[in-house]
Amino acid sequence: MIKMKSCIVLCGGQSRRMGRDKGSLVIGDKPMISHILSTLNNEIDEAIIVLNNQDRIEKYRKFIEKYTYSFKITFVEDEIKNKGPLSGIKSGLKYTHSQYSLVLPCDSPYISKKLVNYLFSQIEDEYDCIVPYHDKNNKLQTSEPLH
């Protein structure tokens, strides 16, 4: 397997609570997902953006292609509609070229390069999954790696 860094960005939600598409919501001067992709610039090799239908893929493609990124971007339609993030992850994993993928929701515009690098630094070939969380002192931790 090629040693590269992949990120799956989940944008297939129904936005029931928000009432509108979250990833395309403009914060500051650009859509929320563009903040995420800017943070990932020069940190990953590919991003797989999972959306729930072709109309949203075309919408996202139009505003994402306005920016230049150091990584390849692939747009993927969620294979199993309206079943939550696991189906989006499954759809995205089919298109990754790396052994491991960072999975991010489209509504996390303030993710930091430090966190991205930290998560990738925790990966070892013997683990299947690392889950980050904050402890009671609000310090970032990772779960015991799952085998």
Side-chain angles (χ1 to χ4, degrees), residues 1-6 45-46 96-101 125:
M1 189 68 61
I2 299 170
K3 293 284 185 185
M4 60 185 298
K5 296 176 181 175
S6 300
D45 301 296
E46 66 179 355
T96 61
H97 294 92
S98 60
Q99 187 171 357
Y100 297 99
S101 296
D125 289 336

Side-chain angles (χ1 to χ4, degrees), residues 6-12 21 23-24 33-34 36-38 40 44 46-54 56-65 69 71-78 88-89 91-93 95-96 102 104-106:
S6 300
C7 183
I8 298 169
V9 183
L10 302 175
C11 304
D21 180 54
S24 63
I33 191 172
S34 296
I36 297 166
L37 297 176
S38 293
L40 295 172
I44 64 170
E46 66 179 355
I48 293 80
I49 300 173
V50 183
L51 295 130
N52 56 1
N53 61 51
Q54 285 298 317
R56 286 184 67 199
I57 287 174
E58 290 309 313
K59 175 183 175 182
Y60 273 64
R61 186 185 309 274
K62 285 178 185 173
F63 64 75
I64 287 173
E65 289 179 350
Y69 299 106
F71 49 85
K72 179 183 177 201
I73 297 175
T74 303
F75 295 91
V76 174
E77 185 172 350
D78 201 350
I89 294 168
S91 298
L93 284 171
Y95 292 88
T96 61
L102 174 63
L104 297 173
C106 67

